[in-house]
Structure formats: structure tokens, C-alpha cells
Amino acid sequence: MILFFVLLAVNIAVIIIAVSFFNQSYEQTSGEAPPEEPQELEFILTNSTVETLINDNIPYDEFTVNINTEGITVDIEQKVLGFSINSSISGEPVVSGSNIIIHLTDLNLAGLPLSEDALYTALRKLVDLPDGIAMSETERALVIDMSLFEQYFGVELQADKIDYENNAWYFSVNNTF
């Protein structure tokens, strides 16, 4: 009789194992991978590299950008009433949100001996800036919208910090790679 119960226990164990083996359920997965979070790629460019990138890619021949450890200088050559007028603005760039602000430190409008405020007002009226670049109405500053980078360079580029005095511009690219 003990053998009968042992045989019965073995049969029950085999039946339980067989039922559990054939009765397993699995989650069905979709063929799509889960969406990836955008990855941030950070890099540092030198003053001369940023200068070259700007001068080579901006489609305005009347602007020439020079960047060094003193700041940024933009030389502007405009035709007004058939005359060539050479102007320049110099400033110190900083990042502010989604803009690069160049606080102007030196203005020159064809060598005219005018006050800085008068020169800034004249430059605002005479110089036709491309979309995404504007002269501030509240302070002597040039405001550059960073969305221009995507237009000219083909990537969403974010300036994180500008340390032109130490020859470093910190950028990041937010994209899915």
C-alpha cells in the first residue's frame, strides 16, 4: 500500500509538471523598440573654429566675424546711396537662454565722431540684419537666436557657455543618435 501512494504521488507530480510546462503564458511584445531619450553630445570649440564656422556658413558677404580673447568684432560693409560704408561692432558674448547676446563695447560707423548711443541708433536703422539676428531695443547688444545654428549647420546646436577669454565655446547637440 505504501508503494501505491508513492506511485500516486509520482503520477500527480508528473501531471503537475506537464500541465505547468504546457500552460505557460508569455507577454506579447510589439515589434517596436521603446522610444529612446535624446542623448546630449557635448563639445568645446576654440575661438578660431567658431569664427571659421560662422564666416564659412553665414550667407551674408557684407559681414566678417573675428573672434579672439578680447571678444567678437563684426566688420560690416554696406552700400548706402551708392557709397560703401564700413562699420564695425565689437562686444563680449554671453549665453542667455536660447540666445547669444553680444554686449557691445565698441561701435564704429564709418569713423563718424558720434556718441555710442547715437552710433548704435544709426546702426540699428542702417544695417539690415538677417532673420534671427537683431539689435536690442533696450540695451546696446546684438541678439542671436540659436535656432540659426540648425538653419546654417543642419543640427540643433545649443551654446551652453562662452568663455572666449580662455579660447573655449561650450556646445551641446540634443538629438537621438
Side-chain angles (χ1 to χ4, degrees):
M1 182 150 0
I2 293 180
L3 287 177
F4 173 74
F5 286 114
V6 170
L7 185 57
L8 182 62
V10 170
N11 286 334
I12 292 174
V14 169
I15 290 173
I16 291 174
I17 292 172
V19 167
S20 69
F21 181 74
F22 290 112
N23 201 13
Q24 292 184 357
S25 65
Y26 296 97
E27 251 183 64
Q28 184 174 357
T29 60
S30 66
E32 301 173 19
E36 292 184 21
E37 291 292 321
Q39 295 180 357
E40 190 172 277
L41 175 65
E42 297 177 328
F43 56 95
I44 302 171
L45 298 177
T46 63
N47 290 339
S48 62
T49 302
V50 173
E51 176 185 307
T52 301
L53 284 170
I54 292 170
N55 286 325
D56 288 351
N57 289 290
I58 197 163
Y60 300 95
D61 294 333
E62 61 268 13
F63 296 98
T64 304
V65 176
N66 300 300
I67 303 173
N68 57 36
T69 57
E70 303 297 315
I72 294 179
T73 301
V74 180
D75 294 318
I76 308 160
E77 184 177 337
Q78 293 266 270
K79 294 280 186 186
V80 177
L81 301 173
F83 296 101
S84 180
I85 296 179
N86 293 318
S87 306
S88 68
I89 56 175
S90 297
E92 300 170 346
V94 294
V95 175
S96 176
S98 63
N99 294 320
I100 294 177
I101 310 282
I102 302 173
H103 297 283
L104 301 179
T105 56
D106 187 36
L107 301 168
N108 175 13
L109 177 61
L112 295 174
L114 299 173
S115 73
E116 295 264 322
D117 289 334
L119 284 173
Y120 184 75
T121 302
L123 282 172
R124 281 189 60 226
K125 304 264 187 228
L126 293 175
V127 176
D128 186 28
L129 295 171
D131 289 337
I133 301 176
M135 295 183 95
S136 174
E137 294 182 19
T138 58
E139 62 181 329
R140 286 193 310 254
L142 192 63
V143 180
I144 302 168
D145 185 351
M146 282 189 239
S147 66
L148 281 178
F149 294 148
E150 184 174 6
Q151 178 182 345
Y152 294 125
F153 304 127
V155 294
E156 289 183 42
L157 198 60
Q158 170 68 37
D160 298 321
K161 180 182 174 189
I162 299 173
D163 189 6
Y164 63 91
E165 295 151 323
N166 292 312
N167 200 22
W169 293 57
Y170 299 85
F171 290 95
S172 60
V173 177
N174 295 317
N175 257 326
T176 302
F177 294 98

mmCIF file of all heavy atoms in Angstrom, residues 47-80:
data_model
loop_
_atom_site.group_PDB
_atom_site.id
_atom_site.type_symbol
_atom_site.label_atom_id
_atom_site.label_comp_id
_atom_site.label_asym_id
_atom_site.label_seq_id
_atom_site.Cartn_x
_atom_site.Cartn_y
_atom_site.Cartn_z
ATOM 1 N N ASN A 47 37.993 79.674 -30.256
ATOM 2 C CA ASN A 47 37.556 80.929 -30.877
ATOM 3 C C ASN A 47 37.726 80.888 -32.389
ATOM 4 O O ASN A 47 36.830 81.272 -33.139
ATOM 5 C CB ASN A 47 38.347 82.108 -30.315
ATOM 6 C CG ASN A 47 38.002 82.426 -28.872
ATOM 7 O OD1 ASN A 47 36.944 82.051 -28.374
ATOM 8 N ND2 ASN A 47 38.888 83.116 -28.192
ATOM 9 N N SER A 48 38.880 80.432 -32.846
ATOM 10 C CA SER A 48 39.144 80.423 -34.295
ATOM 11 C C SER A 48 38.238 79.441 -35.032
ATOM 12 O O SER A 48 37.831 79.704 -36.165
ATOM 13 C CB SER A 48 40.616 80.119 -34.581
ATOM 14 O OG SER A 48 40.962 78.843 -34.104
ATOM 15 N N THR A 49 37.892 78.338 -34.403
ATOM 16 C CA THR A 49 36.988 77.370 -35.037
ATOM 17 C C THR A 49 35.590 77.961 -35.177
ATOM 18 O O THR A 49 34.969 77.850 -36.230
ATOM 19 C CB THR A 49 36.929 76.066 -34.224
ATOM 20 O OG1 THR A 49 38.246 75.536 -34.105
ATOM 21 C CG2 THR A 49 36.026 75.045 -34.883
ATOM 22 N N VAL A 50 35.096 78.614 -34.133
ATOM 23 C CA VAL A 50 33.780 79.249 -34.190
ATOM 24 C C VAL A 50 33.790 80.355 -35.247
ATOM 25 O O VAL A 50 32.861 80.478 -36.045
ATOM 26 C CB VAL A 50 33.367 79.791 -32.805
ATOM 27 C CG1 VAL A 50 32.089 80.603 -32.897
ATOM 28 C CG2 VAL A 50 33.202 78.655 -31.816
ATOM 29 N N GLU A 51 34.861 81.134 -35.279
ATOM 30 C CA GLU A 51 34.995 82.198 -36.280
ATOM 31 C C GLU A 51 34.939 81.635 -37.694
ATOM 32 O O GLU A 51 34.200 82.132 -38.550
ATOM 33 C CB GLU A 51 36.317 82.935 -36.059
ATOM 34 C CG GLU A 51 36.626 83.995 -37.092
ATOM 35 C CD GLU A 51 38.004 84.597 -36.874
ATOM 36 O OE1 GLU A 51 38.295 85.055 -35.750
ATOM 37 O OE2 GLU A 51 38.796 84.608 -37.841
ATOM 38 N N THR A 52 35.670 80.567 -37.947
ATOM 39 C CA THR A 52 35.683 79.944 -39.274
ATOM 40 C C THR A 52 34.316 79.380 -39.625
ATOM 41 O O THR A 52 33.838 79.557 -40.745
ATOM 42 C CB THR A 52 36.748 78.825 -39.325
ATOM 43 O OG1 THR A 52 38.024 79.401 -39.038
ATOM 44 C CG2 THR A 52 36.782 78.158 -40.682
ATOM 45 N N LEU A 53 33.671 78.698 -38.677
ATOM 46 C CA LEU A 53 32.341 78.148 -38.932
ATOM 47 C C LEU A 53 31.341 79.242 -39.297
ATOM 48 O O LEU A 53 30.553 79.093 -40.228
ATOM 49 C CB LEU A 53 31.836 77.373 -37.717
ATOM 50 C CG LEU A 53 32.443 76.003 -37.485
ATOM 51 C CD1 LEU A 53 32.028 75.450 -36.126
ATOM 52 C CD2 LEU A 53 32.035 75.040 -38.585
ATOM 53 N N ILE A 54 31.396 80.346 -38.576
ATOM 54 C CA ILE A 54 30.469 81.444 -38.857
ATOM 55 C C ILE A 54 30.759 82.057 -40.223
ATOM 56 O O ILE A 54 29.865 82.214 -41.051
ATOM 57 C CB ILE A 54 30.537 82.515 -37.750
ATOM 58 C CG1 ILE A 54 29.978 81.948 -36.448
ATOM 59 C CG2 ILE A 54 29.777 83.770 -38.168
ATOM 60 C CD1 ILE A 54 30.205 82.833 -35.237
ATOM 61 N N ASN A 55 32.022 82.413 -40.469
ATOM 62 C CA ASN A 55 32.368 83.076 -41.735
ATOM 63 C C ASN A 55 32.141 82.182 -42.947
ATOM 64 O O ASN A 55 31.772 82.673 -44.016
ATOM 65 C CB ASN A 55 33.808 83.581 -41.708
ATOM 66 C CG ASN A 55 33.957 84.807 -40.827
ATOM 67 O OD1 ASN A 55 33.069 85.644 -40.741
ATOM 68 N ND2 ASN A 55 35.080 84.901 -40.153
ATOM 69 N N ASP A 56 32.348 80.877 -42.799
ATOM 70 C CA ASP A 56 32.163 79.960 -43.933
ATOM 71 C C ASP A 56 30.704 79.623 -44.199
ATOM 72 O O ASP A 56 30.353 79.235 -45.313
ATOM 73 C CB ASP A 56 32.934 78.653 -43.702
ATOM 74 C CG ASP A 56 34.434 78.831 -43.841
ATOM 75 O OD1 ASP A 56 34.874 79.919 -44.276
ATOM 76 O OD2 ASP A 56 35.175 77.895 -43.503
ATOM 77 N N ASN A 57 29.846 79.742 -43.199
ATOM 78 C CA ASN A 57 28.469 79.280 -43.360
ATOM 79 C C ASN A 57 27.413 80.368 -43.422
ATOM 80 O O ASN A 57 26.322 80.115 -43.909
ATOM 81 C CB ASN A 57 28.121 78.295 -42.234
ATOM 82 C CG ASN A 57 28.850 76.986 -42.403
ATOM 83 O OD1 ASN A 57 28.556 76.233 -43.308
ATOM 84 N ND2 ASN A 57 29.823 76.744 -41.554
ATOM 85 N N ILE A 58 27.705 81.544 -42.921
ATOM 86 C CA ILE A 58 26.688 82.589 -42.979
ATOM 87 C C ILE A 58 26.666 83.151 -44.404
ATOM 88 O O ILE A 58 27.711 83.471 -44.970
ATOM 89 C CB ILE A 58 26.930 83.673 -41.914
ATOM 90 C CG1 ILE A 58 25.682 84.493 -41.715
ATOM 91 C CG2 ILE A 58 28.108 84.536 -42.249
ATOM 92 C CD1 ILE A 58 25.658 85.300 -40.441
ATOM 93 N N PRO A 59 25.496 83.218 -45.009
ATOM 94 C CA PRO A 59 25.428 83.600 -46.423
ATOM 95 C C PRO A 59 25.366 85.110 -46.664
ATOM 96 O O PRO A 59 24.740 85.566 -47.599
ATOM 97 C CB PRO A 59 24.136 82.922 -46.883
ATOM 98 C CG PRO A 59 23.269 82.934 -45.674
ATOM 99 C CD PRO A 59 24.208 82.763 -44.512
ATOM 100 N N TYR A 60 26.011 85.883 -45.825
ATOM 101 C CA TYR A 60 25.996 87.328 -45.983
ATOM 102 C C TYR A 60 27.429 87.815 -46.154
ATOM 103 O O TYR A 60 28.212 87.828 -45.209
ATOM 104 C CB TYR A 60 25.330 88.002 -44.777
ATOM 105 C CG TYR A 60 23.904 87.545 -44.608
ATOM 106 C CD1 TYR A 60 23.584 86.505 -43.737
ATOM 107 C CD2 TYR A 60 22.887 88.124 -45.343
ATOM 108 C CE1 TYR A 60 22.278 86.075 -43.602
ATOM 109 C CE2 TYR A 60 21.578 87.694 -45.222
ATOM 110 C CZ TYR A 60 21.280 86.673 -44.348
ATOM 111 O OH TYR A 60 19.993 86.238 -44.227
ATOM 112 N N ASP A 61 27.746 88.235 -47.365
ATOM 113 C CA ASP A 61 29.110 88.646 -47.673
ATOM 114 C C ASP A 61 29.510 89.955 -47.003
ATOM 115 O O ASP A 61 30.693 90.228 -46.837
ATOM 116 C CB ASP A 61 29.289 88.782 -49.192
ATOM 117 C CG ASP A 61 29.174 87.440 -49.897
ATOM 118 O OD1 ASP A 61 29.469 86.410 -49.256
ATOM 119 O OD2 ASP A 61 28.782 87.422 -51.078
ATOM 120 N N GLU A 62 28.522 90.763 -46.617
ATOM 121 C CA GLU A 62 28.856 92.061 -46.025
ATOM 122 C C GLU A 62 29.313 91.958 -44.572
ATOM 123 O O GLU A 62 29.769 92.930 -43.998
ATOM 124 C CB GLU A 62 27.689 93.043 -46.157
ATOM 125 C CG GLU A 62 26.418 92.627 -45.478
ATOM 126 C CD GLU A 62 25.463 91.836 -46.388
ATOM 127 O OE1 GLU A 62 25.860 91.386 -47.464
ATOM 128 O OE2 GLU A 62 24.313 91.665 -45.988
ATOM 129 N N PHE A 63 29.196 90.776 -43.955
ATOM 130 C CA PHE A 63 29.611 90.581 -42.568
ATOM 131 C C PHE A 63 30.876 89.720 -42.507
ATOM 132 O O PHE A 63 30.949 88.683 -43.142
ATOM 133 C CB PHE A 63 28.518 89.857 -41.765
ATOM 134 C CG PHE A 63 27.243 90.628 -41.643
ATOM 135 C CD1 PHE A 63 26.183 90.373 -42.484
ATOM 136 C CD2 PHE A 63 27.103 91.607 -40.676
ATOM 137 C CE1 PHE A 63 25.004 91.074 -42.372
ATOM 138 C CE2 PHE A 63 25.919 92.312 -40.547
ATOM 139 C CZ PHE A 63 24.873 92.054 -41.413
ATOM 140 N N THR A 64 31.850 90.158 -41.725
ATOM 141 C CA THR A 64 33.033 89.353 -41.446
ATOM 142 C C THR A 64 33.208 89.321 -39.933
ATOM 143 O O THR A 64 33.270 90.376 -39.288
ATOM 144 C CB THR A 64 34.295 89.950 -42.099
ATOM 145 O OG1 THR A 64 34.070 90.092 -43.494
ATOM 146 C CG2 THR A 64 35.499 89.051 -41.864
ATOM 147 N N VAL A 65 33.288 88.126 -39.382
ATOM 148 C CA VAL A 65 33.367 87.952 -37.932
ATOM 149 C C VAL A 65 34.801 87.607 -37.541
ATOM 150 O O VAL A 65 35.437 86.759 -38.168
ATOM 151 C CB VAL A 65 32.402 86.841 -37.471
ATOM 152 C CG1 VAL A 65 32.536 86.588 -35.982
ATOM 153 C CG2 VAL A 65 30.973 87.200 -37.830
ATOM 154 N N ASN A 66 35.302 88.274 -36.517
ATOM 155 C CA ASN A 66 36.617 87.983 -35.940
ATOM 156 C C ASN A 66 36.418 87.715 -34.454
ATOM 157 O O ASN A 66 35.795 88.520 -33.758
ATOM 158 C CB ASN A 66 37.572 89.170 -36.119
ATOM 159 C CG ASN A 66 37.780 89.507 -37.572
ATOM 160 O OD1 ASN A 66 38.245 88.681 -38.333
ATOM 161 N ND2 ASN A 66 37.425 90.726 -37.968
ATOM 162 N N ILE A 67 36.944 86.587 -33.975
ATOM 163 C CA ILE A 67 36.794 86.220 -32.567
ATOM 164 C C ILE A 67 38.176 85.955 -31.985
ATOM 165 O O ILE A 67 38.973 85.209 -32.556
ATOM 166 C CB ILE A 67 35.916 84.958 -32.392
ATOM 167 C CG1 ILE A 67 34.545 85.176 -33.024
ATOM 168 C CG2 ILE A 67 35.773 84.607 -30.921
ATOM 169 C CD1 ILE A 67 33.671 83.946 -33.043
ATOM 170 N N ASN A 68 38.456 86.583 -30.840
ATOM 171 C CA ASN A 68 39.709 86.328 -30.133
ATOM 172 C C ASN A 68 39.454 86.450 -28.636
ATOM 173 O O ASN A 68 38.301 86.526 -28.209
ATOM 174 C CB ASN A 68 40.811 87.289 -30.612
ATOM 175 C CG ASN A 68 40.428 88.734 -30.449
ATOM 176 O OD1 ASN A 68 39.764 89.103 -29.479
ATOM 177 N ND2 ASN A 68 40.813 89.565 -31.400
ATOM 178 N N THR A 69 40.512 86.479 -27.844
ATOM 179 C CA THR A 69 40.344 86.511 -26.388
ATOM 180 C C THR A 69 39.877 87.875 -25.879
ATOM 181 O O THR A 69 39.617 88.033 -24.694
ATOM 182 C CB THR A 69 41.660 86.116 -25.679
ATOM 183 O OG1 THR A 69 42.693 87.002 -26.116
ATOM 184 C CG2 THR A 69 42.034 84.683 -25.985
ATOM 185 N N GLU A 70 39.760 88.856 -26.767
ATOM 186 C CA GLU A 70 39.227 90.170 -26.401
ATOM 187 C C GLU A 70 37.719 90.237 -26.611
ATOM 188 O O GLU A 70 37.058 91.124 -26.104
ATOM 189 C CB GLU A 70 39.902 91.262 -27.235
ATOM 190 C CG GLU A 70 41.417 91.302 -27.113
ATOM 191 C CD GLU A 70 41.870 91.627 -25.694
ATOM 192 O OE1 GLU A 70 41.306 92.560 -25.091
ATOM 193 O OE2 GLU A 70 42.784 90.943 -25.202
ATOM 194 N N GLY A 71 37.172 89.331 -27.425
ATOM 195 C CA GLY A 71 35.746 89.329 -27.713
ATOM 196 C C GLY A 71 35.487 89.093 -29.187
ATOM 197 O O GLY A 71 36.299 88.493 -29.896
ATOM 198 N N ILE A 72 34.358 89.599 -29.653
ATOM 199 C CA ILE A 72 33.941 89.422 -31.042
ATOM 200 C C ILE A 72 33.915 90.786 -31.721
ATOM 201 O O ILE A 72 33.437 91.770 -31.143
ATOM 202 C CB ILE A 72 32.531 88.808 -31.125
ATOM 203 C CG1 ILE A 72 32.526 87.391 -30.595
ATOM 204 C CG2 ILE A 72 32.000 88.835 -32.543
ATOM 205 C CD1 ILE A 72 31.168 86.730 -30.614
ATOM 206 N N THR A 73 34.411 90.820 -32.954
ATOM 207 C CA THR A 73 34.303 92.011 -33.786
ATOM 208 C C THR A 73 33.625 91.598 -35.079
ATOM 209 O O THR A 73 34.017 90.613 -35.708
ATOM 210 C CB THR A 73 35.684 92.622 -34.089
ATOM 211 O OG1 THR A 73 36.312 92.950 -32.858
ATOM 212 C CG2 THR A 73 35.555 93.867 -34.953
ATOM 213 N N VAL A 74 32.608 92.346 -35.444
ATOM 214 C CA VAL A 74 31.916 92.102 -36.706
ATOM 215 C C VAL A 74 32.148 93.320 -37.588
ATOM 216 O O VAL A 74 31.769 94.444 -37.237
ATOM 217 C CB VAL A 74 30.399 91.888 -36.493
ATOM 218 C CG1 VAL A 74 29.707 91.649 -37.831
ATOM 219 C CG2 VAL A 74 30.146 90.732 -35.539
ATOM 220 N N ASP A 75 32.826 93.092 -38.710
ATOM 221 C CA ASP A 75 33.044 94.149 -39.690
ATOM 222 C C ASP A 75 31.905 94.092 -40.689
ATOM 223 O O ASP A 75 31.570 93.024 -41.206
ATOM 224 C CB ASP A 75 34.391 93.961 -40.392
ATOM 225 C CG ASP A 75 35.563 94.131 -39.435
ATOM 226 O OD1 ASP A 75 35.519 95.054 -38.606
ATOM 227 O OD2 ASP A 75 36.509 93.321 -39.512
ATOM 228 N N ILE A 76 31.318 95.251 -40.967
ATOM 229 C CA ILE A 76 30.152 95.332 -41.841
ATOM 230 C C ILE A 76 30.458 96.304 -42.971
ATOM 231 O O ILE A 76 30.884 97.442 -42.716
ATOM 232 C CB ILE A 76 28.913 95.839 -41.062
ATOM 233 C CG1 ILE A 76 28.697 95.005 -39.806
ATOM 234 C CG2 ILE A 76 27.684 95.850 -41.951
ATOM 235 C CD1 ILE A 76 27.839 95.673 -38.760
ATOM 236 N N GLU A 77 30.244 95.845 -44.185
ATOM 237 C CA GLU A 77 30.398 96.726 -45.340
ATOM 238 C C GLU A 77 29.050 96.810 -46.036
ATOM 239 O O GLU A 77 28.547 95.829 -46.562
ATOM 240 C CB GLU A 77 31.454 96.184 -46.312
ATOM 241 C CG GLU A 77 31.704 97.105 -47.471
ATOM 242 C CD GLU A 77 32.787 96.613 -48.399
ATOM 243 O OE1 GLU A 77 33.639 95.821 -47.952
ATOM 244 O OE2 GLU A 77 32.775 97.009 -49.572
ATOM 245 N N GLN A 78 28.448 98.000 -46.011
ATOM 246 C CA GLN A 78 27.125 98.218 -46.579
ATOM 247 C C GLN A 78 27.196 99.257 -47.684
ATOM 248 O O GLN A 78 28.035 100.166 -47.640
ATOM 249 C CB GLN A 78 26.165 98.726 -45.503
ATOM 250 C CG GLN A 78 25.866 97.708 -44.448
ATOM 251 C CD GLN A 78 24.620 96.949 -44.751
ATOM 252 O OE1 GLN A 78 23.570 97.349 -44.358
ATOM 253 N NE2 GLN A 78 24.725 95.848 -45.453
ATOM 254 N N LYS A 79 26.320 99.142 -48.646
ATOM 255 C CA LYS A 79 26.160 100.142 -49.695
ATOM 256 C C LYS A 79 24.962 101.008 -49.316
ATOM 257 O O LYS A 79 23.851 100.503 -49.145
ATOM 258 C CB LYS A 79 25.897 99.487 -51.053
ATOM 259 C CG LYS A 79 27.057 98.675 -51.580
ATOM 260 C CD LYS A 79 28.074 99.577 -52.195
ATOM 261 C CE LYS A 79 29.144 98.724 -52.851
ATOM 262 N NZ LYS A 79 30.235 99.495 -53.345
ATOM 263 N N VAL A 80 25.195 102.298 -49.157
ATOM 264 C CA VAL A 80 24.134 103.241 -48.862
ATOM 265 C C VAL A 80 24.222 104.368 -49.881
ATOM 266 O O VAL A 80 25.244 105.061 -49.963
ATOM 267 C CB VAL A 80 24.248 103.792 -47.424
ATOM 268 C CG1 VAL A 80 23.175 104.841 -47.158
ATOM 269 C CG2 VAL A 80 24.172 102.677 -46.408
#
